[in-house]
Amino acid sequence: MHLLPLSLYCRSRHSFWVFSVSSAACILYSEACVILSSAPAKLIRMVIPPPVRPPRITNYLKPYVLKMHFTNKYVSTQVIHAPTATVASSASSQEKALRPSMESTRDVAAAGKIGKILGERLLLKDIPAVAVHLEREQRYHGKVKAVIDSLREAGVKLL
């Protein structure tokens, strides 16, 4: 009787099976990773780790994301560091130090001032570029436009 090497890779378990089977008839089920044979077989299992995937390229291209939130009373903005999910910098019209310098805490002028202050804080922390994340209902006009334009005027590049 002649022994033939037969190998099978199981995708679901990320393992590689090597069989030593006689030349008798055998049935191969690739989905279940089972070999049925009429002759006895020697079984050797070698574990192959799953393929290593590179980290998402967006983590390198857009690490800082600008998010804006507007309520009926206040304007608040945050810049979030996406790979670590932490707030890198923020500015809001709720801050007590900013309230005396603003006439209103909720209009387009307040949004422009908040954007300018956030831009200055970003440049102090050496964050030169920010990606803008707009929610579904946010359009590029009004308060959103005021924040983004004042960030540009402060010297922050938008991706």
Side-chain angles (χ1 to χ4, degrees), residues 91-102 114 117 121:
S92 175
S93 60
Q94 287 179 317
E95 296 176 18
K96 287 186 177 180
L98 300 178
R99 281 190 201 170
S101 65
M102 291 192 237
I114 294 298
I117 291 168
R121 290 179 182 176

Side-chain angles (χ1 to χ4, degrees), residues 67-71 74-78 91-92 135 137-138:
K67 293 193 176 189
M68 298 170 275
H69 183 69
F70 305 102
T71 64
Y74 303 109
V75 175
S76 60
T77 58
Q78 296 180 354
S92 175
E135 298 294 330
E137 67 274 357
Q138 290 178 341

